């Protein structure tokens, strides 16, 4: 069970976040800023999760060559853990939010695998731009509530993402936050978005990919969001991260199979033949 931070702790976290924002540097260089992720020479792999992920070994490395990088894969392959680890490596809390914020109390958290994995990784930057946001769908409302309360404590107007419907709040958040230079981590942002809302996010991601104004590292199950033109699409498997294209992903083929003949697809699915 995750509790909320005490007022004093919250004040300290708000102060830390404001200090981090003051230290943020802008650059005229285009994204991506995070160039490479690799395993530390002194890392101890194997043993318990997440250090025993099949694709993680001493030779693991991941190069970022486009402003938008999209990671796909089945549940349990470790894609969300990887996103969380990179975000933690850049100074973000596992629960999500902006750099320097700690919106949730982790003292009783059971799973902190992403933060643990971060200790085994190293990052290469050019330049080092770590301002941005870590978006996690499951903690969005806790983080949004934290932002509202923090703004009120500072006698400022709250961002008020919670006054909108679930999907509208997500899209409004993306439009407001990702208009700024920085690095953004999105873990399955489609979870509360209708297909139409996913198209709005697709347009925003396409704009970022075209202008190289920010860096996006996203894990998703949505074929719509996988279709960002020019983005690098990686599939995470037991053997590692493999570059792929939309039509080759299992997600796309499954949806294509469904739309070509929904009745036959459902009939085969109910017989567990898919």
């Amino acid at each position: 069970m995750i509790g909320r931070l005490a007022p004093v702790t919250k004040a300290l976290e708000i102060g830390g976040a404001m200090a981090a924002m003051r230290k943020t540097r802008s650059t005229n260089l285009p994204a991506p800023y995070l160039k490479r992720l690799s395993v530390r020479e002194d890392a101890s792999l194997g043993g318990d999760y997440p250090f025993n992920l099949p694709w993680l070994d001493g030779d693991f490395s991941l190069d970022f060559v486009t402003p938008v990088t999209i990671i796909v894969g089945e549940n349990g392959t470790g894609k969300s853990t990887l996103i969380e680890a990179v975000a933690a490596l850049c100074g973000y809390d596992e629960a999500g939010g902006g750099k320097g914020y700690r919106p949730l109390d982790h003292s009783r958290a059971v799973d902190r695998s992403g933060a643990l994995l971060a200790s085994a990784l190293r990052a290469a930057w050019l330049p080092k731009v770590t301002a941005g946001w870590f978006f996690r769908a499951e903690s969005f409302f806790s983080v949004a509530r934290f932002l509202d309360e923090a703004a009120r404590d500072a006698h400022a107007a709250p961002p008020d993402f919670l006054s909108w419907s679930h999907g509208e709040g997500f899209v409004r958040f993306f439009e407001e936050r990702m208009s700024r230079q920085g690095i953004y981590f999105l873990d399955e942002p489609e979870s509360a978005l209708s297909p139409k809302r996913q198209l709005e996010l697709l347009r925003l991601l396409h704009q970022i990919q075209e202008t190289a104004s920010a860096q996006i590292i996203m894990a998703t199950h949505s074929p719509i969001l996988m279709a960002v033109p020019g983005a690098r699409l990686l599939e995470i498997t037991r053997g590692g991260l493999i570059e792929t294209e939309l039509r080759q992903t299992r997600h796309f083929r499954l949806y294509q199979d469904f739309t070509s003949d929904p009745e036959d697809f459902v009939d085969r699915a109910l017989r567990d033949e898919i």
Side-chain angles (χ1 to χ4, degrees):
M1 182 176 179
I2 297 177
R4 296 175 61 187
L5 292 180
V8 173
T9 305
K10 181 190 291 187
L12 292 174
E13 296 297 341
I14 294 171
M18 294 178 66
M21 291 174 63
R22 286 194 293 268
K23 294 179 181 179
T24 298
R25 297 178 180 177
S26 61
T27 178
N28 293 324
L29 293 176
Y33 313 117
L34 175 59
K35 299 295 187 182
R36 184 179 176 86
L37 191 69
S38 59
V39 174
R40 297 178 59 92
E41 291 84 352
D42 58 350
S44 178
L45 301 179
D48 297 329
Y49 190 89
F51 302 107
N52 62 353
L53 282 164
W55 47 265
L56 183 66
D57 58 37
D59 294 327
F60 169 79
S61 65
L62 173 57
D63 293 319
F64 297 94
V65 296
T66 54
V68 178
T69 302
I70 302 169
I71 301 174
V72 303
E74 290 299 322
N75 291 330
T77 54
K79 64 184 183 304
S80 291
T81 298
L82 178 58
I83 295 287
E84 183 179 322
V86 183
L89 192 63
C90 296
Y92 292 84
D93 186 72
E94 308 97 283
K99 189 173 183 181
Y101 284 100
R102 188 182 173 210
L104 299 179
D105 178 8
H106 299 291
S107 60
R108 300 179 64 186
V110 175
D111 180 20
R112 301 189 65 184
S113 54
L116 289 173
L117 181 58
S119 66
L121 302 175
R122 69 165 66 252
W125 301 83
L126 185 65
K128 190 172 184 179
V129 176
T130 59
W133 200 268
F134 177 23
F135 176 86
R136 299 192 68 174
E138 64 266 34
S139 60
F140 174 75
F141 284 101
S142 296
V143 173
R145 189 176 298 109
F146 174 85
L147 291 176
D148 285 348
E149 294 175 354
R152 293 189 186 99
D153 290 344
H155 305 290
D160 195 24
F161 296 116
L162 299 179
S163 294
W164 303 70
S165 74
H166 202 170
E168 288 174 327
F170 275 33
V171 172
R172 184 169 178 263
F173 172 83
F174 294 139
E175 291 175 339
E176 193 273 331
R177 293 288 165 171
M178 296 195 306
S179 64
R180 311 169 189 176
Q181 185 180 76
I183 184 168
Y184 298 89
F185 306 94
L186 309 181
D187 186 16
E188 300 181 10
E190 72 277 6
S191 62
L193 300 180
S194 69
K196 184 177 180 181
R197 294 295 182 189
Q198 290 180 42
L199 290 176
E200 294 181 43
L201 179 55
L202 174 70
R203 286 190 285 269
L204 177 58
L205 294 172
H206 176 241
Q207 181 181 12
I208 292 173
Q209 172 64 29
E210 288 285 286
T211 61
S213 57
Q215 182 171 5
I216 307 291
I217 303 175
M218 175 175 68
T220 183
H221 290 294
S222 167
I224 291 176
L225 297 183
M226 295 177 199
V228 179
R232 190 181 189 203
L233 186 60
L234 300 169
E235 183 172 7
I236 190 167
T237 68
R238 293 182 63 85
L241 274 77
I242 303 171
E243 191 157 3
T244 187
E245 58 183 42
L246 175 64
R247 293 178 182 273
Q248 294 178 343
T249 63
R250 176 172 172 78
H251 303 75
F252 179 87
R253 294 198 302 268
L254 197 67
Y255 277 75
Q256 186 179 48
D257 192 10
F258 171 76
T259 56
S260 65
D261 191 340
E263 291 79 10
D264 178 67
F265 178 92
V266 171
D267 184 57
R268 287 184 286 122
L270 293 177
R271 297 198 306 266
D272 197 21
E273 295 178 358
I274 295 178

